[in-house]
Amino acid sequence: MRRLVLLPLAAALLLALAVPPGQVRAADGPAVRLSAARAGAGGSVTVSGTGWRPRALLMLLVCGRATPDRGVTGGTNSCANGDGRAVTTDADGAFARRLPVAEPPVPCPCVVHVATVTGARAEADAVLEVAGHPVAPLPAERSAGRLAVLSDTRLTGSSGLLTWFGAPPGRTLVFTVGNTGTSPVENPVFQVGTAHGVFAPEWDERQWHGTLAPGEKARIKLPVELSAGAHGDYTVTLRYAGRVLAEQPWGVPRPWGVTLFWVLLCLVVPAALFRAGMAVVDRLRPRHPAPHSGPRPRPRVRLPRLRTTGTPVTARTPGDPPAPTPGPASLPWFTPDSAPRGPAGRPCAPHDDSPTSPATPTPKGPT
């Protein structure tokens, strides 16, 4: 009977001895273990971990003002970023990396902070005592209330026609939080960060108006907006009281309307300039007569205009007979009475009476 009681105690003791000091193990999350819990500045420790996502890129940092329970209160500004190291997990989600020990910019307590760089957010801390570095108590928490995300975050909404032409894309970050603390939280102020690729996020403060009592939960919607013309893979990060609550990827399509506009501009403007230049050249070009291929026309000879004789107009009195009607116009060298007449009594053209000319019969007069 005693053996049956001592067997579970011995197994628990062996398990406790198997976990070396400096290791932090999560029930359903990643674990971090240090080769030494104390080291001086300029030295190094080996950081190993298990339970991480396979083929994940991790960042290892020595941070001050941090504990595994509260995390890094000052964010990455409390870490020795210049001496950090990156590592990629293997197919089983394990890694091992040697990390130089550097003094953080803030006092201890210090930890080795391990967090994912891309993909789903995951982090873990292991206590590290930096020899010779000052130690100061952690700042008091602003409120006994503590918020935690209880559901998966998601982005709702869609892009309009203006976004296709470069307008700022916008979405709504929807999530459910609960107050796991001992006091109510009034009008919490969240920080929403947007990061493009591996760049650092740009933070915007978003306040939610309301009160969360201890043990109460609420559904919160916060607007998220990017800059004009933004496209590519973005990551939306939600933070409260210096702690990252959730991350959500966001793939923004390219604004093809802007590309179409520039293509049309590159085609239309040169065509318009070409047409305007051709119009100016056509207007300034000197005009030359077209060469005549056929025979040149003969010049016309204008005959002198013949003057006609008329009857002078005289003043009339009531007793005078009517004035004679002017006769037809006659040639200057003939008068109506002296013009020669032909056989039918018609005037004929003048002829020569020289001896060489043939004789012309003369009409006989009445006898």
Side-chain angles (χ1 to χ4, degrees), residues 61-65 72-81 104-106 203 239:
L61 297 171
V62 177
C63 303
R65 286 183 184 173
V72 183
T73 58
T76 55
N77 293 331
S78 302
C79 304
N81 298 312
V106 294
W203 300 98
R239 189 169 68 178

Side-chain angles (χ1 to χ4, degrees), residues 188-277:
V189 178
F190 297 93
Q191 289 182 322
V192 179
T194 54
H196 181 51
V198 297
F199 294 97
E202 298 180 1
W203 300 98
D204 293 327
E205 292 187 351
R206 299 285 187 267
Q207 186 175 17
W208 181 76
H209 298 280
T211 302
L212 282 175
E216 188 179 1
K217 63 180 181 179
R219 188 178 183 83
I220 298 177
K221 299 180 180 180
L222 300 177
V224 182
E225 185 175 283
L226 301 179
S227 59
H231 63 277
D233 295 330
Y234 283 80
T235 303
V236 180
T237 306
L238 178 66
R239 189 169 68 178
Y240 175 74
R243 295 177 58 252
V244 176
L245 300 181
E247 287 185 341
Q248 178 68 28
W250 182 10
V252 183
R254 181 182 294 273
W256 291 108
V258 178
T259 305
L260 179 62
F261 169 78
W262 285 111
V263 170
L264 293 178
L265 187 65
C266 294
L267 295 178
V268 172
V269 171
L273 293 177
F274 176 77
R275 295 194 62 179

Side-chain angles (χ1 to χ4, degrees), residues 92-319:
D92 297 330
F95 72 91
R97 185 74 161 85
R98 195 166 187 83
L99 176 67
V101 177
E103 295 185 1
V106 294
C108 285
C110 299
V111 298
V112 173
H113 181 69
V114 183
T116 55
V117 178
T118 59
R121 181 74 177 182
E123 58 184 13
D125 299 325
V127 177
L128 175 65
E129 182 181 351
V130 180
H133 193 65
V135 179
L138 294 176
E141 294 185 344
R142 297 180 180 179
S143 173
R146 188 181 181 89
L147 297 181
V149 176
L150 303 180
S151 65
D152 294 336
T153 59
R154 59 190 180 93
L155 293 172
T156 61
S158 60
S159 301
L161 180 62
L162 295 179
T163 306
W164 201 67
F165 287 94
R171 293 292 189 273
T172 301
L173 182 64
V174 182
F175 56 96
T176 302
V177 296
N179 186 0
T180 59
T182 58
S183 63
V185 178
E186 298 180 359
N187 301 328
V189 178
F190 297 93
Q191 289 182 322
V192 179
T194 54
H196 181 51
V198 297
F199 294 97
E202 298 180 1
W203 300 98
D204 293 327
E205 292 187 351
R206 299 285 187 267
Q207 186 175 17
W208 181 76
H209 298 280
T211 302
L212 282 175
E216 188 179 1
K217 63 180 181 179
R219 188 178 183 83
I220 298 177
K221 299 180 180 180
L222 300 177
V224 182
E225 185 175 283
L226 301 179
S227 59
H231 63 277
D233 295 330
Y234 283 80
T235 303
V236 180
T237 306
L238 178 66
R239 189 169 68 178
Y240 175 74
R243 295 177 58 252
V244 176
L245 300 181
E247 287 185 341
Q248 178 68 28
W250 182 10
V252 183
R254 181 182 294 273
W256 291 108
V258 178
T259 305
L260 179 62
F261 169 78
W262 285 111
V263 170
L264 293 178
L265 187 65
C266 294
L267 295 178
V268 172
V269 171
L273 293 177
F274 176 77
R275 295 194 62 179
M278 292 302 297
V280 172
V281 170
D282 186 67
R283 195 176 190 88
L284 299 179
R285 183 174 55 187
R287 303 292 180 178
H288 297 287
H292 190 72
S293 58
R296 299 182 64 181
R298 300 178 62 183
R300 294 183 180 182
V301 179
R302 299 186 63 181
L303 297 176
R305 180 177 299 178
L306 301 179
R307 293 187 302 174
T308 59
T309 59
T311 307
V313 179
T314 57
R316 297 178 57 203
T317 59

